[in-house]
Amino acid sequence: MTDKNSNIEELFMKLNADNAPGQESRQKNNELKLIGDKIEGEYVDFSHGDVDAHKPIPGVLDHYIDGFNTGGSQAYTEYRGQAELLKETAEKLGSFTGTHISPEDELIITPGTQGALFLALGATVTFGDKVAIVEPDYFANRKLVHFFRGEVVPVQMDYLNHDDKAGIDLSELEQAFKNGVKVFLFSNPNNPSGAIYSSEEINQIAELVSKYGVTVIADELYSRQLFDNREYTHLIAHPGVDRNKIITIIGPSKTESLSGFRLGAGFGSSEIIDRMEQLQAIVSLRASGYSQAALKSWFSEPEGWMAERIESHQAIRDDLVTLFRDAGYKVRLTEAGSYVFPQAQNLSIDDVQIAKILREQANVAVTPGTEFAPYCTDSFRLNFSQDHGKAVDAVKRIIKVLENYKNG
Amino acid sequence: MTDKNSNIEELFMKLNADNAPGQESRQKNNELKLIGDKIEGEYVDFSHGDVDAHKPIPGVLDHYIDGFNTGGSQAYTEYRGQAELLKETAEKLGSFTGTHISPEDELIITPGTQGALFLALGATVTFGDKVAIVEPDYFANRKLVHFFRGEVVPVQMDYLNHDDKAGIDLSELEQAFKNGVKVFLFSNPNNPSGAIYSSEEINQIAELVSKYGVTVIADELYSRQLFDNREYTHLIAHPGVDRNKIITIIGPSKTESLSGFRLGAGFGSSEIIDRMEQLQAIVSLRASGYSQAALKSWFSEPEGWMAERIESHQAIRDDLVTLFRDAGYKVRLTEAGSYVFPQAQNLSIDDVQIAKILREQANVAVTPGTEFAPYCTDSFRLNFSQDHGKAVDAVKRIIKVLENYKNG
């Protein structure tokens, strides 16, 4: 809930990032009551992808070095990005999403997709604004709304019981819009479940945001890595959507393994992009100028590279999902991206304890379910962009360790 | 002034970045009444330094390439930075400022010094908080306070009439503190004037912030590039300052010409650093992991490199200041950093018009004075980290063009 008088300490209590992916080494483990032994095995950090197992796009370092050698014009770009790269990237993203993107007015390059998300929220949400957030969805979404003093209006997604649609509760979404929601933020494919919104769901979302004049931020970070030849519908290409009210965000950090460069992009409403750039000017000026040169690799991967990447991830997914299901976990078969979000059954411990215990006894890092929705206390997320064999071994350890914590 | 009910459009009207350095190409020049001819000459962009004329630290690209080749552990660091680099950087910054910095708790690596500034303000300023800001000072300072819904309390600095101290009005500062200022943000050396705060001024600031329990954010971005063997006093090393209430920010973007990597640092209060990291987690996750490897070059420049850099900049400064003074401008002799902030006399045009006219008729970019203080309508800032000869020619053009716009 929004509190107009909350001071800075209260504000930051809600932003606590100690359980966020990548921060595990800062946690203290003093209060754990461990049952059973530690199982030895090679460490797997499922909180993010392993760019050593799935390497960056070949040739990307050469683009970077060229950028560095270009000198001043690459170091100091406009806040929204270097003009030629904006042009090239607008063409690529336009072709990918099936829409025309003006490189001058409708695109901004950001420090990672997280940067695009921050700027998009900061450019659209202020004190007291209601923001519809899907449960479960990316953990930063609710924190961002909180930071900008908006109010989270949760919308449920029945992600475990569908495989032909995401399972968002569209009547709850409409009710939220009726109740004055100003911005709707959602990830598609959904993070953490790996669900893809069906074209019917996207059509209905397009109708609803148009009917109620809601601004949409569509996080499509994982939309290139589609399994089983699934279809994907880009909301921004829907004819019913008001272009001035939509921002799509995306970046090369995941499927393309370019996270180390911190590159992302936001495109859509020129008005919102303008504000995002104004905000960028005081947040970090620009995405690293030299890093921007690495964008040349994006959507220009070598022939067959993306197909191989999808195939190898699909094979890992199949093995992990089978392991979890055979052990009695409920888990959706990831349709896109590289997350699985298993729900454990009958455990005596909650998700935060699960994560700590798995770190201690299974030598793996996972992300607790409540980072994604308050009710996901029995779930945890794994990024399966890992070495295939190590990931399989690690999931076997996870299952074995958690057996010791079953009820009854 | 703060307005609790301001909507997002009103918020962003005050953040307008069209006149900010580097954004000149986005301006429209339709309303200019030009007097006299355009003077031909090679373009100089005085809005920022020229890293082609003053190149990055030798060997920095090799550190970057090593970082890239290190792979996953360099791509995905903790949000506050890679542990080994934190250790190395804490030692270097501690030695530079004469204080001990705990690498685990008192240091964060950020996307540029701008990133450190944003995080430091975001971690200390919230709705209605009073923030003391020096006039003139870095243009983003006031915008940041505005963005975080604080209230700017201006404190004057008589920068034109001193050369043995910055000239901050300490009684006005104390009055501001008495009136409830929570945070004091200032750059030392001062941007845009190049003034250094004397040790006596720093002592008095230390006493005042201690007496009134004010949090200080000290922007020391340019504190390595000192001219004429000037002395410099780091506030954080003052024994009277409460360590929990100070954050110093600094980075290798200016003197070291590493801006293209987007690297900065904040150090001091562990409590504030914790909050800065929590904020970083939702702003951009971390400074580019690969870029962080470039920090190995910082404070490890080749023998004589820094001395040469200071000498060459001092020579440019001398020529530009002489040119401006001979033409009747008031200008402080830069004591540190690479800015001059000349005040024109008897012009019929204001600072924003000056900048636009100089772009059209002198082929140079400068930054309007009102970006730094509302009253600096007759001033403009130049970053003289440029090719020496081109900078001299450009300033001659500036002086000649502006002669046409004199009153009477």
Side-chain angles (χ1 to χ4, degrees), chain A residues 12 21 23 25-26 52 64 72 78-79 104 114-115 126 149 260-262 275 277-278 282-284 288, chain B residues 12 21 23 25-26 52 64 72 78-79 104 114-115 126 149 260-262 275 277-278 282-284 288:
Chain A
F12 274 84
Q23 294 301 97
S25 67
R26 299 197 72 80
D52 299 326
Y64 184 93
E78 279 180 30
Y79 300 148
E104 292 87 11
Q114 182 70 45
T126 187
R149 313 296 200 285
F261 294 100
R262 294 279 77 211
R275 286 192 220 137
E277 182 177 43
Q278 285 172 15
I282 58 170
V283 171
S284 62
S288 154
Chain B
F12 274 84
Q23 295 300 99
S25 67
R26 298 197 71 80
D52 299 326
Y64 184 93
E78 279 180 30
Y79 300 148
E104 292 86 12
Q114 182 70 44
T126 186
R149 312 300 199 282
F261 294 99
R262 292 282 75 211
R275 285 191 220 136
E277 182 178 42
Q278 285 171 16
I282 59 171
V283 171
S284 61
S288 155

Side-chain angles (χ1 to χ4, degrees), chain B residues 209-402:
Chain B
V209 296
S210 170
K211 180 173 173 186
Y212 294 96
V214 171
T215 297
V216 195
I217 301 167
D219 175 355
E220 302 194 346
L221 177 54
Y222 259 123
S223 57
R224 295 186 76 194
Q225 190 163 298
L226 309 177
F227 301 128
D228 310 309
N229 296 311
R230 289 234 170 216
E231 280 192 9
Y232 183 94
T233 311
H234 296 280
L235 181 62
I236 197 168
H238 193 286
V241 169
D242 178 358
R243 182 73 162 200
N244 289 322
K245 293 208 163 250
I246 182 163
I247 288 291
T248 302
I249 66 172
I250 190 167
S253 287
K254 301 292 185 183
T255 307
E256 301 84 351
S257 296
L258 305 190
S259 180
F261 294 99
R262 292 282 75 211
L263 288 167
F267 59 98
S269 164
S270 59
E271 193 188 334
I272 298 174
I273 296 284
D274 274 349
R275 285 191 220 136
M276 288 170 73
E277 182 178 42
Q278 285 171 16
L279 187 48
Q280 178 118 297
I282 59 171
V283 171
S284 61
L285 296 184
R286 61 182 71 80
S288 155
Y290 302 145
S291 283
Q292 289 179 41
L295 288 171
K296 285 183 184 291
S297 291
W298 197 25
F299 288 94
S300 301
E301 297 83 8
E303 181 86 23
W305 187 88
M306 185 59 71
E308 190 283 324
R309 176 133 306 201
I310 290 170
E311 192 185 3
S312 61
H313 281 78
Q314 192 166 315
I316 302 169
R317 174 202 70 169
D318 288 344
D319 283 354
L320 301 201
V321 167
T322 302
L323 283 168
F324 277 120
R325 285 183 173 170
D326 287 353
Y329 289 72
K330 286 190 181 164
V331 58
R332 182 162 180 153
L333 185 71
T334 314
E335 291 150 21
S338 64
Y339 295 121
V340 283
F341 193 54
Q343 183 189 55
Q345 309 296 314
N346 296 317
L347 289 195
S348 61
I349 50 175
D350 69 17
D351 63 312
V352 174
Q353 292 169 313
I354 289 173
K356 288 183 177 177
I357 283 164
L358 290 180
R359 190 175 170 80
E360 288 289 302
Q361 296 189 288
N363 205 26
V364 301
V366 302
T367 307
T370 51
E371 291 280 316
F372 307 95
Y375 68 84
C376 290
T377 52
D378 45 8
S379 300
F380 49 95
R381 189 194 70 174
L382 292 81
N383 184 324
F384 60 78
S385 185
Q386 309 289 345
D387 176 89
H388 194 146
K390 286 187 204 168
V392 167
D393 288 348
V395 167
K396 287 178 182 167
R397 294 200 300 276
I398 288 172
I399 290 167
K400 199 155 179 193
V401 163
L402 293 183

Side-chain angles (χ1 to χ4, degrees), chain B residues 89-105:
Chain B
T89 307
E91 270 168 31
K92 289 168 170 178
L93 291 173
S95 156
F96 174 63
T97 57
T99 175
H100 177 266
I101 302 166
S102 157
E104 292 86 12
D105 300 317

